[in-house]
Amino acid sequence: MWIFIALLFSVFVGLYFHSTRHSLRVLMYHRTSVSDTNFMTVTTEQLRQHLAYLRQARYQFVSLPVVLEALKKDAAVSLPRRAVLVTFDDAYENNLTNALPILQEFAVPPTIFVSTAFVGGSNEWDGSTDQIMTSEQLKCLTSQNFTLAYHSHQHLNYKNHPLETIQKDLTANVREADKMELPMARAFSYPYGGRPKDPTARQQMINMMEGLGIGAAFRIGNRINPIPIRDPYNLNRIDVRGTDSFAVFKRKVRWGKLM
């Protein structure tokens, strides 16, 4: 009995230190809606509830440029103890119409990861017709405390493609963003969280990113990133789903994925 109590106590102590240690949480959103919700869509009410909880629980919102600066060797910038970076994948227009007022309300400096082939079009990679922001809309967002970054040109799952295809896609992502004069931060999020399985191929992909000046990349993973961060090309994000209850959201933010 006493052994069980001791083990239970040690587990609670471990979880406490896991949730309070110096760390970076990165939240991954996609679409936003006034009323509809699904796996990849949160309602405006859910988003407001999430951000209000984070503020009340004394997490501190940080911007992607601050994170990138903190990742540099001998950086003078350090992240707060309970840092949170809010990100949106794919640049859906509903993030502009629905999410922007709420993000401004809570003074959140969010990041939008952009697949450049679909700017001004729709999410064709899903066979759907959700509107993607135009280049002008994206540029306007940068004056509203948003940061833009890379999300592949063709929204490819790099887990399923050879290095030659990955290199062409990465290069096109940077080139096309430059053509549209989008002010991009030098960071990347892997569509679907996909990366080459083979360690040698993965390192070659990272070398390509470094050659293009990309200094960090985000997967999914659903884990909390301990600080100092050891691998800037393997940053974990927490997948925020519209189908999750508020209790599940809080658990994900506090603990991440423990196993």
Side-chain angles (χ1 to χ4, degrees):
M1 179 65 178
W2 289 110
I3 293 175
F4 174 76
I5 293 173
L7 285 172
L8 191 61
F9 177 76
S10 65
V11 168
F12 277 116
V13 169
L15 288 173
Y16 172 78
F17 282 108
H18 174 79
S19 66
T20 58
R21 64 184 175 177
H22 198 177
S23 56
L24 169 67
R25 290 160 172 81
V26 186
L27 305 185
M28 180 181 71
Y29 291 89
H30 286 83
R31 295 187 289 263
T32 53
S33 169
V34 173
S35 57
D36 296 331
T37 184
N38 57 44
F39 183 80
M40 294 181 66
T41 307
V42 299
T43 64
T44 50
E45 180 181 356
Q46 285 176 306
L47 181 60
R48 179 175 281 105
Q49 187 180 42
H50 295 170
L51 300 182
Y53 164 74
L54 291 168
R55 176 181 285 179
Q56 181 271 330
R58 298 185 180 180
Y59 291 98
Q60 296 187 55
F61 298 116
V62 295
S63 68
L64 179 58
V66 168
V67 171
L68 294 177
E69 188 62 31
L71 290 175
K72 294 179 181 178
K73 293 181 180 178
D74 303 319
V77 173
S78 61
L79 295 174
R81 188 168 190 85
R82 290 158 64 82
V84 174
L85 174 64
V86 175
T87 69
F88 291 82
D89 278 3
D90 306 332
Y92 292 102
E93 190 177 59
N94 52 55
N95 297 155
L96 172 63
T97 55
N98 298 328
L100 174 59
I102 301 169
L103 294 163
Q104 290 177 324
E105 177 184 340
F106 289 92
V108 177
T111 294
I112 288 191
F113 289 105
V114 182
S115 291
T116 40
F118 305 98
V119 170
S122 63
N123 54 335
E124 296 174 33
W125 64 88
D126 280 341
S128 301
T129 57
D130 296 291
Q131 186 65 38
I132 305 299
M133 281 183 267
T134 67
S135 59
E136 291 307 313
Q137 287 173 320
L138 288 167
K139 289 176 195 176
C140 287
L141 278 184
T142 61
S143 66
Q144 304 294 331
N145 218 18
F146 277 70
T147 299
L148 308 180
Y150 302 104
H151 193 43
S152 124
H153 180 56
Q154 292 283 351
H155 202 278
L156 299 182
N157 187 338
Y158 285 2
K159 178 181 177 181
N160 302 327
H161 292 277
L163 285 169
E164 181 181 3
T165 301
I166 292 173
Q167 184 169 30
K168 288 180 180 178
D169 183 77
L170 276 171
T171 302
N173 202 191
V174 173
R175 182 187 64 242
E176 295 305 313
D178 288 345
K179 281 185 181 178
M180 288 184 274
E181 299 182 335
L182 298 177
M184 308 290 276
R186 294 293 174 170
F188 184 91
S189 74
Y190 304 102
Y192 313 101
R195 301 156 300 151
K197 282 188 175 181
D198 178 68
T200 301
R202 187 177 297 178
Q203 184 57 53
Q204 289 176 304
M205 177 196 67
I206 291 171
N207 294 343
M208 294 172 191
M209 290 184 175
E210 290 177 332
L212 291 167
I214 296 172
F218 296 82
R219 53 174 297 195
I220 302 177
N222 285 302
R223 288 181 170 86
I224 298 167
N225 300 286
I227 296 174
I229 291 169
R230 295 181 180 179
D231 185 355
Y233 294 93
N234 191 38
L235 289 161
N236 284 278
R237 292 194 291 170
I238 295 169
D239 183 13
V240 182
R241 304 175 182 179
T243 50
D244 285 343
S245 67
F246 183 44
V248 168
F249 172 80
K250 291 192 290 185
R251 176 182 58 76
K252 283 183 174 182
V253 169
R254 185 168 187 184
W255 308 113
K257 185 177 180 181
L258 297 175
M259 300 297 291

